[in-house]
Amino acid sequence: VQLNTVAPGQLLTLFGTDLAPVTPFIPATGVASSSASFGVYFNGIPAPILYSSAQQVNVQVPYEIAGQTSVQMKVVDQRTPLPTAETLTLGVVERQAAVFLTPAASGSLFPGYTVCNGAMAFGAAAVALNADGSLNDCNNPAAAGSVVTILIDGLGPVTPALLTGTIATAPPVALTPGVVVLD
C-alpha cells in the first residue's frame, strides 16, 4: 500500500530493507523516542517508536502536525551498515480511521473474508474485546446486550488531548467532533 496521507496520532507501520538493526527492538515502556541516529520525523518532530526490526518500523504520527496541509516524513538510520536518510512528502488529513484486523483476517487468502471453524464469512474480522476483556471471535462471541470494544486508529485529536507518545489511561477519551459510532 502506498502511503499518501497521515492523520495526527495515527499509528503507521513502515516496511522496507535495512530500516533498522536486525535485532527487533520493543521499547520496555511501550514507546521510545526517535533519535538523531535512528527514527522517523514529521516536519522535524520526532515520532515515538513502538517497534523496529530490519524490515519494519512502527511509529505514531505526532499530534503536533494537526492543522498542517502537508508534512515531510523523514526516516533516519545511522546504525546499519548502509545508513538510511529518506524523505517523503505526505498530505495531512484530520482523521484517517481504520479498524485493527485480527491476524486471521489480515492474513486471509481471500481479502474481505474471514474463516472461522472452517466456515467462510464475508467481512474482515475486527480486533474486538468482550466486556470481560477476552478476544471476541466466532468461538467466543459477546453476550447479547453486552459492551464490545473495537480497536480503531487514525481518529485524529481527542478530548482531553493526548500527548504524542503517551498511552491513554482511564477514563476513555471522547472522539473528535463529527465522529459518530453507530450501533
Side-chain angles (χ1 to χ4, degrees):
V1 174
Q2 176 67 34
L3 183 65
N4 296 317
T5 58
V6 292
Q10 180 179 13
L11 302 179
L12 295 181
T13 298
L14 307 174
F15 294 102
T17 304
D18 295 327
L19 290 175
V22 174
T23 304
F25 171 65
I26 302 170
T29 60
V31 295
S33 298
S34 288
S35 68
S37 63
F38 172 69
V40 180
Y41 295 82
F42 292 83
N43 284 353
I45 302 165
I49 300 168
L50 309 171
Y51 171 84
S52 71
S53 67
Q55 289 83 32
Q56 177 180 333
V57 177
N58 296 354
V59 298
Q60 178 193 29
V61 176
Y63 282 108
E64 292 86 349
I65 70 162
Q68 299 178 31
T69 57
S70 67
V71 68
Q72 297 283 315
M73 179 182 76
K74 184 175 184 177
V75 179
V76 177
D77 184 11
Q78 303 301 317
R79 304 178 309 165
T80 56
L82 298 172
T84 302
E86 294 189 31
T87 302
L88 180 64
T89 301
L90 302 168
V92 176
V93 294
E94 183 178 1
R95 65 181 64 95
Q96 193 156 271
V99 174
F100 283 88
L101 300 178
T102 64
S106 56
S108 174
L109 296 175
F110 307 101
Y113 290 87
T114 301
V115 178
C116 191
N117 292 333
M120 188 175 295
F122 179 71
V127 173
L129 302 176
N130 293 325
D132 65 0
S134 64
L135 184 64
N136 179 292
D137 64 17
C138 66
N139 295 315
N140 188 33
S146 66
V147 173
V148 174
T149 302
I150 299 173
L151 304 182
I152 302 174
D153 178 35
L155 294 176
V158 293
T159 304
L162 293 175
L163 298 175
T164 298
T166 59
I167 298 172
T169 58
V173 295
L175 299 175
T176 53
V179 176
V180 179
V181 177
L182 303 174
D183 53 357

